[in-house]
Amino acid sequence: MTNITIRIDLNSKKQIYEQIANQIIELIAKGVLNPGDPLPSVREMAAMLSVNMLTVEKAYKYLEGEGFVTIYKKRFVVKTDIRDEKWKELMKEAVYRALAGGAKRDEILFFISALLR
């Protein structure tokens, strides 16, 4: 199994399960987690992060609902056929938020380009 690192920010306004889920999505996007890779068990992840198992279960169920993972042989694994179109709406909201916050077009494009590198 791939050794993954997830960090929880207790001062964040995001709920812990969201932080876990978002970081797993980032690891998939960066190729750290590949299709078919199993995630640590709920118990293992909870112990790694020192959080409640129900919090990890909620993160995994969220990822399953969003289509990033599936259950195979009683384990959560990264799906091989991820088809997420929700990113378009999220991107639109983020760009509008950046523009409303005073960001310039070039700054937004530079930031997106840096993410894609």
Side-chain angles (χ1 to χ4, degrees), residues 14-78:
K14 286 192 178 190
Q15 294 189 33
I16 293 173
Y17 87 91
E18 290 178 286
Q19 292 181 50
I20 296 168
N22 288 340
Q23 288 180 60
I24 290 172
I25 291 170
E26 182 178 341
L27 292 169
I28 293 168
K30 290 180 174 179
V32 175
L33 287 172
N34 296 299
D37 283 350
L39 298 179
S41 72
V42 171
R43 184 180 306 275
E44 291 168 338
M45 182 68 83
M48 283 174 22
L49 302 175
S50 299
V51 299
N52 189 297
M53 288 192 323
L54 293 175
T55 301
V56 174
E57 178 77 20
K58 189 172 183 178
Y60 283 7
K61 288 292 188 181
Y62 172 81
L63 290 167
E64 182 182 28
E66 292 291 310
F68 289 100
V69 302
T70 191
I71 296 177
Y72 178 73
K73 294 185 180 182
K74 299 182 181 181
R75 298 285 310 249
F76 286 94
V77 297
V78 177

